[in-house]
Amino acid sequence: MARNAELEKIIRPAVEAAGFEFWGLEHLAQGKHSVLRVFIDHENGISVDNCAEVSHQVSGVLDVEEPIKGLYNLEISSPGMDRPLFNEQQFARYVGEDAEVKLSVPLNGRRKFKGTIEQVEAGVLVLLVDGEVYEINCQQIDKAHLVPKF
């Protein structure tokens, strides 16, 4: 997680300077080749041209700062309907919505939960799963994303 925080410090200003909301990032190290996926958002949605614009800005910053050693692919994307959730503020924006959460360490013998976001407060996510309430320390969340309703 600390590595992603370093990358965020470098990338967030470039995304925001281009007029977009920095939603989050994933850095997937895969041997010599890795993928850096940056999620951006905007109240008017995200187009392919927006992604290209941000890609150009972020590439420039990464070329100067060189925070990633070796080869990598940079992907710029909208969070989409099943948007990943990276922090407490994002969970709080979606209280009442369904989410899937994967933990880095088990809670009551489980690492995967799917339920309704009830609240988020003081670093704790309250998730209602099949009628049972779980209080999850946000620091223990490995990955999370919304579950779209159709």
Side-chain angles (χ1 to χ4, degrees):
M1 197 66 150
R3 180 81 178 131
N4 284 355
E6 277 180 47
L7 288 169
E8 182 177 338
K9 278 186 198 174
I10 295 167
I11 295 169
R12 177 185 286 272
V15 170
E16 292 175 349
F20 299 94
E21 178 184 0
F22 174 86
W23 189 260
L25 66 84
E26 296 175 341
H27 181 227
L28 310 168
Q30 300 169 335
K32 288 183 178 179
H33 299 281
S34 63
V35 175
L36 176 59
R37 190 170 295 129
V38 178
F39 297 96
I40 62 172
D41 208 2
H42 192 276
E43 63 187 22
N44 297 330
I46 297 297
S47 70
V48 172
D49 290 339
N50 297 147
C51 292
E53 176 186 349
V54 172
S55 178
H56 180 73
Q57 294 292 328
V58 170
S59 291
V61 172
L62 293 174
D63 288 347
V64 171
E65 298 286 335
E66 295 184 351
I68 300 172
K69 304 302 178 218
L71 300 173
Y72 64 93
N73 289 324
L74 173 63
E75 297 178 3
I76 307 295
S77 175
S78 156
M81 291 179 62
D82 61 341
R83 61 185 49 223
L85 302 170
F86 294 98
N87 57 52
E88 276 185 63
Q89 294 79 16
Q90 291 173 346
F91 279 104
R93 282 169 75 168
Y94 293 98
V95 167
E97 298 289 328
D98 290 342
E100 285 186 10
V101 177
K102 181 180 173 194
L103 305 181
S104 54
V105 295
L107 173 66
N108 298 343
R110 310 173 50 166
R111 289 185 62 201
K112 294 181 179 181
F113 296 85
K114 181 177 176 180
T116 304
I117 302 169
E118 293 291 303
Q119 72 179 52
V120 185
E121 192 174 307
V124 176
L125 167 66
V126 178
L127 200 64
L128 180 63
V129 180
D130 298 326
E132 191 171 339
V133 174
Y134 289 88
E135 293 186 0
I136 300 170
N137 181 329
C138 290
Q139 296 297 318
Q140 295 177 331
I141 297 173
D142 184 37
K143 286 186 131 188
H145 66 90
L146 289 180
V147 177
K149 294 177 183 167
F150 296 102

